[in-house]
PDB file of all heavy atoms in Angstrom:
ATOM      1  N   ASP A 302      14.744 -35.848   9.969  1.00 91.00           N
ATOM      2  CA  ASP A 302      14.375 -37.038   9.226  1.00 91.00           C
ATOM      3  C   ASP A 302      15.660 -37.688   8.730  1.00 91.00           C
ATOM      4  O   ASP A 302      16.344 -37.121   7.876  1.00 91.00           O
ATOM      5  CB  ASP A 302      13.453 -36.685   8.052  1.00 91.00           C
ATOM      6  CG  ASP A 302      12.986 -37.905   7.285  1.00 91.00           C
ATOM      7  OD1 ASP A 302      13.477 -39.021   7.569  1.00 91.00           O
ATOM      8  OD2 ASP A 302      12.136 -37.742   6.388  1.00 91.00           O
ATOM      9  N   PHE A 303      15.997 -38.849   9.265  1.00 91.00           N
ATOM     10  CA  PHE A 303      17.271 -39.465   8.913  1.00 91.00           C
ATOM     11  C   PHE A 303      17.254 -40.086   7.520  1.00 91.00           C
ATOM     12  O   PHE A 303      18.283 -40.564   7.056  1.00 91.00           O
ATOM     13  CB  PHE A 303      17.654 -40.494   9.968  1.00 91.00           C
ATOM     14  CG  PHE A 303      18.368 -39.884  11.149  1.00 91.00           C
ATOM     15  CD1 PHE A 303      18.396 -38.511  11.330  1.00 91.00           C
ATOM     16  CD2 PHE A 303      19.029 -40.675  12.075  1.00 91.00           C
ATOM     17  CE1 PHE A 303      19.047 -37.935  12.398  1.00 91.00           C
ATOM     18  CE2 PHE A 303      19.693 -40.108  13.156  1.00 91.00           C
ATOM     19  CZ  PHE A 303      19.704 -38.740  13.316  1.00 91.00           C
ATOM     20  N   ALA A 304      16.117 -40.044   6.867  1.00 89.00           N
ATOM     21  CA  ALA A 304      16.107 -40.426   5.451  1.00 89.00           C
ATOM     22  C   ALA A 304      16.668 -39.290   4.600  1.00 89.00           C
ATOM     23  O   ALA A 304      17.088 -39.510   3.455  1.00 89.00           O
ATOM     24  CB  ALA A 304      14.691 -40.770   5.002  1.00 89.00           C
ATOM     25  N   ALA A 305      16.652 -38.064   5.146  1.00 85.00           N
ATOM     26  CA  ALA A 305      17.141 -36.898   4.415  1.00 85.00           C
ATOM     27  C   ALA A 305      18.412 -36.322   5.022  1.00 85.00           C
ATOM     28  O   ALA A 305      19.149 -35.591   4.344  1.00 85.00           O
ATOM     29  CB  ALA A 305      16.067 -35.815   4.372  1.00 85.00           C
ATOM     30  N   ASN A 306      18.682 -36.607   6.292  1.00 85.00           N
ATOM     31  CA  ASN A 306      19.900 -36.134   6.948  1.00 85.00           C
ATOM     32  C   ASN A 306      20.887 -37.290   7.068  1.00 85.00           C
ATOM     33  O   ASN A 306      20.582 -38.310   7.705  1.00 85.00           O
ATOM     34  CB  ASN A 306      19.581 -35.615   8.351  1.00 85.00           C
ATOM     35  CG  ASN A 306      18.841 -34.300   8.334  1.00 85.00           C
ATOM     36  OD1 ASN A 306      19.419 -33.241   8.283  1.00 85.00           O
ATOM     37  ND2 ASN A 306      17.504 -34.391   8.357  1.00 85.00           N
ATOM     38  N   THR A 307      22.043 -37.147   6.483  1.00 88.00           N
ATOM     39  CA  THR A 307      23.044 -38.202   6.542  1.00 88.00           C
ATOM     40  C   THR A 307      24.158 -37.881   7.529  1.00 88.00           C
ATOM     41  O   THR A 307      25.063 -38.680   7.716  1.00 88.00           O
ATOM     42  CB  THR A 307      23.659 -38.434   5.147  1.00 88.00           C
ATOM     43  OG1 THR A 307      24.270 -37.216   4.701  1.00 88.00           O
ATOM     44  CG2 THR A 307      22.592 -38.853   4.148  1.00 88.00           C
ATOM     45  N   GLY A 308      24.104 -36.720   8.133  1.00 91.00           N
ATOM     46  CA  GLY A 308      25.149 -36.311   9.062  1.00 91.00           C
ATOM     47  C   GLY A 308      24.835 -36.699  10.500  1.00 91.00           C
ATOM     48  O   GLY A 308      24.028 -37.597  10.766  1.00 91.00           O
ATOM     49  N   THR A 309      25.475 -35.992  11.439  1.00 95.00           N
ATOM     50  CA  THR A 309      25.331 -36.261  12.868  1.00 95.00           C
ATOM     51  C   THR A 309      24.414 -35.226  13.499  1.00 95.00           C
ATOM     52  O   THR A 309      24.633 -34.026  13.343  1.00 95.00           O
ATOM     53  CB  THR A 309      26.712 -36.211  13.557  1.00 95.00           C
ATOM     54  OG1 THR A 309      27.556 -37.207  12.985  1.00 95.00           O
ATOM     55  CG2 THR A 309      26.588 -36.464  15.058  1.00 95.00           C
ATOM     56  N   LEU A 310      23.410 -35.686  14.232  1.00 97.00           N
ATOM     57  CA  LEU A 310      22.469 -34.749  14.844  1.00 97.00           C
ATOM     58  C   LEU A 310      23.162 -33.926  15.926  1.00 97.00           C
ATOM     59  O   LEU A 310      22.987 -32.702  15.973  1.00 97.00           O
ATOM     60  CB  LEU A 310      21.276 -35.503  15.434  1.00 97.00           C
ATOM     61  CG  LEU A 310      20.191 -34.610  16.050  1.00 97.00           C
ATOM     62  CD1 LEU A 310      19.552 -33.725  14.981  1.00 97.00           C
ATOM     63  CD2 LEU A 310      19.132 -35.445  16.760  1.00 97.00           C
ATOM     64  N   CYS A 311      23.939 -34.543  16.791  1.00 98.00           N
ATOM     65  CA  CYS A 311      24.624 -33.806  17.855  1.00 98.00           C
ATOM     66  C   CYS A 311      26.052 -34.314  18.014  1.00 98.00           C
ATOM     67  O   CYS A 311      26.281 -35.511  18.245  1.00 98.00           O
ATOM     68  CB  CYS A 311      23.873 -33.934  19.181  1.00 98.00           C
ATOM     69  SG  CYS A 311      24.500 -32.824  20.474  1.00 98.00           S
ATOM     70  N   TYR A 312      26.995 -33.393  17.884  1.00 98.00           N
ATOM     71  CA  TYR A 312      28.414 -33.713  17.978  1.00 98.00           C
ATOM     72  C   TYR A 312      28.972 -33.130  19.272  1.00 98.00           C
ATOM     73  O   TYR A 312      28.896 -31.912  19.489  1.00 98.00           O
ATOM     74  CB  TYR A 312      29.154 -33.133  16.773  1.00 98.00           C
ATOM     75  CG  TYR A 312      30.659 -33.250  16.832  1.00 98.00           C
ATOM     76  CD1 TYR A 312      31.311 -34.407  16.466  1.00 98.00           C
ATOM     77  CD2 TYR A 312      31.425 -32.165  17.255  1.00 98.00           C
ATOM     78  CE1 TYR A 312      32.693 -34.513  16.511  1.00 98.00           C
ATOM     79  CE2 TYR A 312      32.812 -32.241  17.299  1.00 98.00           C
ATOM     80  CZ  TYR A 312      33.439 -33.424  16.930  1.00 98.00           C
ATOM     81  OH  TYR A 312      34.803 -33.525  16.968  1.00 98.00           O
ATOM     82  N   PHE A 313      29.504 -34.006  20.121  1.00 98.00           N
ATOM     83  CA  PHE A 313      30.162 -33.572  21.352  1.00 98.00           C
ATOM     84  C   PHE A 313      31.668 -33.592  21.100  1.00 98.00           C
ATOM     85  O   PHE A 313      32.297 -34.652  21.125  1.00 98.00           O
ATOM     86  CB  PHE A 313      29.808 -34.500  22.518  1.00 98.00           C
ATOM     87  CG  PHE A 313      28.333 -34.597  22.816  1.00 98.00           C
ATOM     88  CD1 PHE A 313      27.652 -35.800  22.643  1.00 98.00           C
ATOM     89  CD2 PHE A 313      27.636 -33.494  23.282  1.00 98.00           C
ATOM     90  CE1 PHE A 313      26.303 -35.899  22.940  1.00 98.00           C
ATOM     91  CE2 PHE A 313      26.282 -33.590  23.587  1.00 98.00           C
ATOM     92  CZ  PHE A 313      25.612 -34.794  23.407  1.00 98.00           C
ATOM     93  N   GLY A 314      32.240 -32.430  20.822  1.00 98.00           N
ATOM     94  CA  GLY A 314      33.675 -32.336  20.597  1.00 98.00           C
ATOM     95  C   GLY A 314      34.388 -32.066  21.897  1.00 98.00           C
ATOM     96  O   GLY A 314      34.384 -32.888  22.812  1.00 98.00           O
ATOM     97  N   ARG A 315      35.027 -30.902  21.993  1.00 98.00           N
ATOM     98  CA  ARG A 315      35.622 -30.516  23.270  1.00 98.00           C
ATOM     99  C   ARG A 315      34.483 -29.935  24.108  1.00 98.00           C
ATOM    100  O   ARG A 315      34.243 -28.731  24.149  1.00 98.00           O
ATOM    101  CB  ARG A 315      36.748 -29.511  23.050  1.00 98.00           C
ATOM    102  CG  ARG A 315      37.693 -29.388  24.243  1.00 98.00           C
ATOM    103  CD  ARG A 315      38.864 -28.494  23.940  1.00 98.00           C
ATOM    104  NE  ARG A 315      39.786 -29.086  22.986  1.00 98.00           N
ATOM    105  CZ  ARG A 315      40.792 -29.909  23.273  1.00 98.00           C
ATOM    106  NH1 ARG A 315      40.998 -30.251  24.534  1.00 98.00           N
ATOM    107  NH2 ARG A 315      41.582 -30.379  22.335  1.00 98.00           N
ATOM    108  N   ALA A 316      33.770 -30.824  24.761  1.00 98.00           N
ATOM    109  CA  ALA A 316      32.526 -30.475  25.438  1.00 98.00           C
ATOM    110  C   ALA A 316      32.428 -31.207  26.763  1.00 98.00           C
ATOM    111  O   ALA A 316      32.838 -32.372  26.866  1.00 98.00           O
ATOM    112  CB  ALA A 316      31.334 -30.834  24.553  1.00 98.00           C
ATOM    113  N   GLU A 317      31.879 -30.525  27.774  1.00 98.00           N
ATOM    114  CA  GLU A 317      31.702 -31.112  29.096  1.00 98.00           C
ATOM    115  C   GLU A 317      30.263 -30.978  29.560  1.00 98.00           C
ATOM    116  O   GLU A 317      29.705 -29.869  29.531  1.00 98.00           O
ATOM    117  CB  GLU A 317      32.649 -30.444  30.111  1.00 98.00           C
ATOM    118  CG  GLU A 317      34.125 -30.630  29.795  1.00 98.00           C
ATOM    119  CD  GLU A 317      35.031 -30.010  30.849  1.00 98.00           C
ATOM    120  OE1 GLU A 317      34.487 -29.496  31.865  1.00 98.00           O
ATOM    121  OE2 GLU A 317      36.258 -30.036  30.658  1.00 98.00           O
ATOM    122  N   LYS A 318      29.678 -32.097  29.908  1.00 98.00           N
ATOM    123  CA  LYS A 318      28.325 -32.135  30.473  1.00 98.00           C
ATOM    124  C   LYS A 318      27.279 -31.500  29.536  1.00 98.00           C
ATOM    125  O   LYS A 318      26.268 -30.974  29.994  1.00 98.00           O
ATOM    126  CB  LYS A 318      28.287 -31.461  31.846  1.00 98.00           C
ATOM    127  CG  LYS A 318      29.191 -32.123  32.885  1.00 98.00           C
ATOM    128  CD  LYS A 318      29.133 -31.389  34.219  1.00 98.00           C
ATOM    129  CE  LYS A 318      29.975 -32.103  35.271  1.00 98.00           C
ATOM    130  NZ  LYS A 318      31.427 -32.072  34.924  1.00 98.00           N
ATOM    131  N   CYS A 319      27.525 -31.532  28.255  1.00 98.00           N
ATOM    132  CA  CYS A 319      26.515 -31.080  27.293  1.00 98.00           C
ATOM    133  C   CYS A 319      25.483 -32.169  27.097  1.00 98.00           C
ATOM    134  O   CYS A 319      25.743 -33.357  27.343  1.00 98.00           O
ATOM    135  CB  CYS A 319      27.174 -30.712  25.957  1.00 98.00           C
ATOM    136  SG  CYS A 319      28.258 -29.261  26.066  1.00 98.00           S
TER     137      CYS A 319
END
Side-chain angles (χ1 to χ4, degrees):
D302 183 353
F303 275 12
N306 288 273
T307 60
T309 299
L310 183 63
C311 190
Y312 173 82
F313 301 115
R315 198 174 290 274
E317 297 182 4
K318 299 179 177 65
C319 293

